[in-house]
Amino acid sequence: MDRSEFYTFSGYMKKDDSRLTASMEDYLEMIYRLSQENGFTRASSLSQSLNVQPSSATKMVQHLAQLGYVQYRKYGFIMLDDKGAEIGAWLLKRHTILENFMRSIGVSENSLLEETEKAEHMFSPETIRCFSDLLDFLQADAAFAAYNAARAKNKKPAPQQPAEPANNRPQK
Amino acid sequence: MDRSEFYTFSGYMKKDDSRLTASMEDYLEMIYRLSQENGFTRASSLSQSLNVQPSSATKMVQHLAQLGYVQYRKYGFIMLDDKGAEIGAWLLKRHTILENFMRSIGVSENSLLEETEKAEHMFSPETIRCFSDLLDFLQADAAFAAYNAARAKNKKPAPQQPAEPANNRPQK
DNA sequence: ACGGATTGTTAGCCTGAGCCAACAATTTTT
DNA sequence: AAAAATTGTTGGCTCAGGCTAACAATCCGT
């Protein structure tokens, strides 16, 4: 049995070295959101919006600038470069598709944002396309509407999954 | 506009401190797979199956032992503890559900394993339930069968997504 | 126009999960 | 049973992306 295509999570995440990291994507996506009003944003808004310390935002913005995604000079505005803007737009679109899809299949508003934010980084454009197409299909499918209505009724459809196994990690 | 619920990817991943990390889950899932034949496995199989160096496997196994997920003594067998076995079973189930779901909505075999492996860590049991239920529904839905057949025909349904933006990261 | 408040940056540290090189234990072969 | 081969472990390093503390720049009110 050939299992050699399995990797650990970090194995996968490191594998394509020519890719933005998940965090870089988050920063770019947020810079894009925040720039929609004014065409730029600043370190403070960014750090607030992402719930990181200002120093972390500074560091990442400098990094993104170095790679040519944003224009940035110390203490100045953060402005997306062409490359950055194109990617930012795509990232936001990707987020939106996934979020809509997840909502429409019944993921509760509680977990929706967090899980979308975590999962969006994991899918290729082709897979996002699958979600998007499926969503379109479902919205036009009468049977699905019925399924959905039924599911909404049974608030708690019986705990079938092992209800979140009680882990404990280094309880520092 | 209150954006304070956004976090970076690492922000989210670190947030619930009482959870297995994605890599821990991968090791546990693989130990579970490998134990199905014999009831145990060994460091070498584990490191081969996950494409990590032996030293990395050793380290993680020691860690998991310390937390009570596996039984392990230097140079010995790796055996799942009760807690570990329960979680391992769930992780494998989660994987299977997600993989089946993704396959059935048209994700190509090419990306299927990798994206499943990456994404599985991101979803709560409730969300996995949504996927599972939806999959059941789809398999019984005639309209979906038609949709699927149609999609299979148009091999390349026109590149609509920005076709994987050309990034470049630290080209070390 | 200057002094305090605010905002941004730097430097240095931490953590998880890898890696490699050196060493230790175990197993196999002779 | 001793030597050789294999397998597993240790220690110390790297890297991303956080953090804090200390410092620097900019902005605002008088």
Side-chain angles (χ1 to χ4, degrees):
Chain A
M1 189 182 306
D2 181 17
R3 286 246 167 61
S4 62
E5 346 80 77
F6 281 81
Y7 292 82
T8 62
F9 183 74
S10 3
Y12 280 122
M13 296 308 274
K14 231 146 265 176
K15 214 156 49 123
D16 19 8
D17 213 16
S18 67
R19 252 188 117 60
L20 294 161
T21 63
S23 283
M24 285 161 121
E25 288 189 345
D26 285 327
Y27 279 92
L28 236 29
E29 187 181 324
M30 187 53 82
I31 293 169
Y32 186 84
R33 284 176 198 268
L34 295 172
S35 300
Q36 294 201 296
E37 285 139 34
N38 306 313
F40 66 86
T41 186
R42 328 195 104 244
S44 55
S45 327
L46 191 51
S47 80
Q48 275 171 35
S49 308
L50 288 172
N51 287 286
V52 295
Q53 291 307 116
S55 55
S56 308
T58 298
K59 208 201 237 180
M60 183 58 94
V61 168
Q62 289 172 340
H63 193 186
L64 291 173
Q66 235 209 298
L67 299 175
Y69 295 105
V70 304
Q71 296 259 281
Y72 186 59
R73 275 185 356 269
K74 266 193 189 190
Y75 300 99
F77 296 142
I78 299 166
M79 236 171 319
L80 286 165
D81 241 326
D82 290 359
K83 188 164 66 150
E86 194 189 337
I87 296 176
W90 156 245
L91 295 176
L92 184 51
K93 182 175 175 181
R94 184 182 71 178
H95 177 101
T96 307
I97 291 174
L98 190 58
E99 181 167 346
N100 287 340
F101 174 73
M102 302 249 289
R103 180 181 292 110
S104 84
I105 70 170
V107 174
S108 86
E109 290 297 326
N110 268 336
S111 10
L112 193 59
L113 177 60
E114 170 160 351
E115 295 191 25
T116 302
E117 292 264 300
K118 291 195 294 193
E120 58 186 356
H121 308 286
M122 307 302 147
F123 299 118
S124 65
E126 293 75 32
T127 299
I128 296 292
R129 192 80 209 290
C130 291
F131 288 131
S132 169
D133 288 352
L134 179 62
L135 178 54
D136 288 349
F137 161 77
L138 290 175
Q139 279 169 348
D141 185 30
F144 178 69
Y147 158 83
N148 233 341
R151 206 212 35 228
K153 224 161 242 172
N154 318 359
K155 288 300 224 180
K156 279 276 165 203
Q160 183 147 316
Q161 245 59 231
E164 189 73 64
N167 310 334
N168 34 18
R169 257 218 298 161
Q171 61 291 44
K172 66 148 121 205
Chain B
M1 190 182 304
D2 181 17
R3 285 246 167 62
S4 60
E5 346 81 77
F6 281 82
Y7 292 82
T8 61
F9 183 73
S10 1
Y12 280 121
M13 295 308 274
K14 230 147 268 177
K15 214 155 50 122
D16 19 7
D17 213 15
S18 67
R19 250 188 119 58
L20 294 160
T21 63
S23 283
M24 286 161 121
E25 288 189 344
D26 286 328
Y27 279 91
L28 236 28
E29 187 181 324
M30 187 54 82
I31 292 169
Y32 186 83
R33 285 175 197 268
L34 296 171
S35 299
Q36 293 202 297
E37 286 139 32
N38 306 315
F40 66 85
T41 186
R42 329 196 100 241
S44 55
S45 328
L46 191 51
S47 80
Q48 274 171 35
S49 307
L50 288 172
N51 288 285
V52 295
Q53 293 307 117
S55 56
S56 309
T58 298
K59 208 202 237 179
M60 183 59 93
V61 168
Q62 289 172 341
H63 193 186
L64 291 173
Q66 234 210 299
L67 299 175
Y69 295 106
V70 304
Q71 296 260 280
Y72 186 59
R73 272 185 0 268
K74 268 194 189 192
Y75 300 98
F77 295 143
I78 300 166
M79 235 172 319
L80 285 165
D81 241 324
D82 291 358
K83 188 163 67 151
E86 193 189 338
I87 296 176
W90 156 245
L91 295 176
L92 183 51
K93 182 174 174 183
R94 184 182 71 176
H95 178 100
T96 307
I97 291 174
L98 190 59
E99 180 166 347
N100 288 339
F101 174 73
M102 303 251 288
R103 179 181 293 110
S104 85
I105 71 171
V107 174
S108 86
E109 289 297 326
N110 269 335
S111 9
L112 193 60
L113 177 60
E114 170 160 350
E115 295 191 25
T116 301
E117 291 264 299
K118 291 196 293 192
E120 58 185 358
H121 308 286
M122 307 302 147
F123 299 118
S124 64
E126 293 75 33
T127 300
I128 296 292
R129 190 84 209 289
C130 291
F131 289 132
S132 170
D133 288 351
L134 180 62
L135 178 54
D136 289 348
F137 161 77
L138 290 175
Q139 280 170 347
D141 185 29
F144 178 69
Y147 158 83
N148 232 342
R151 207 212 33 230
K153 223 159 242 173
N154 317 359
K155 289 299 224 180
K156 278 276 164 202
Q160 183 148 317
Q161 245 61 228
E164 191 72 62
N167 310 336
N168 33 18
R169 257 221 296 163
Q171 60 290 46
K172 62 147 132 203

